[in-house]
């Protein structure tokens, strides 16, 4: 399943497209898990047939369709180790789509 890896602050640029996001589980919004995608405060609600209790780790990768800047409809999710460094990951995403994009193609 092809999907773009995007940092949270660029999520709105991918409305209607399939993306891969990694975030810290920070709670739920009416049963939909909420993920914090960066320390800058970007959070998203994950919708679809998702049970908030399904996420057993601190971090989770979601493959899903972007509905808007704050909502992603889950197609699939993958548990990520609790030692995951979200800020380093987000910095890599910024490099891969910015000044150093040629190094990642």
């Amino acid at each position: 399943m092809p999907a773009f890896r995007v940092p949270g602050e660029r999520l709105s640029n991918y409305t209607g497209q399939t993306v891969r996001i990694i975030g810290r589980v920070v709670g739920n919004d009416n049963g939909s898990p909420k993920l914090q995608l960066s320390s800058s405060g970007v959070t998203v609600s994950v919708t679809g047939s998702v049970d908030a209790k399904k996420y057993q780790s601190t971090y989770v990768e979601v493959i899903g369709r972007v509905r808007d800047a704050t909502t992603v409809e889950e197609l699939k999710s993958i548990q990520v180790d609790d030692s995951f460094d979200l800020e380093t990951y987000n910095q890599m995403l910024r490099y891969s789509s910015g000044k150093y994009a040629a190094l990642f193609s």
Side-chain angles (χ1 to χ4, degrees), residues 42-100:
V42 176
T43 60
V44 297
S45 292
V46 180
T47 64
S49 56
V50 180
D51 179 1
K53 297 174 186 170
K54 160 178 149 173
Y55 298 156
Q56 299 297 313
S57 62
T58 303
Y59 296 95
V60 65
E61 178 176 42
V62 173
I63 301 168
R65 187 169 315 281
V66 178
R67 294 296 172 209
D68 58 44
T70 61
T71 310
V72 173
E73 180 182 2
E74 179 185 312
L75 302 172
K76 182 178 180 178
S77 65
I78 303 162
Q79 305 299 314
V80 177
D81 188 77
D82 288 346
S83 64
F84 185 77
D85 188 331
L86 188 59
E87 291 312 307
T88 300
Y89 174 75
N90 279 305
Q91 190 61 47
M92 185 272 306
L93 290 178
R94 287 182 200 97
Y95 287 151
S96 69
S97 62
K99 181 178 178 181
Y100 302 104

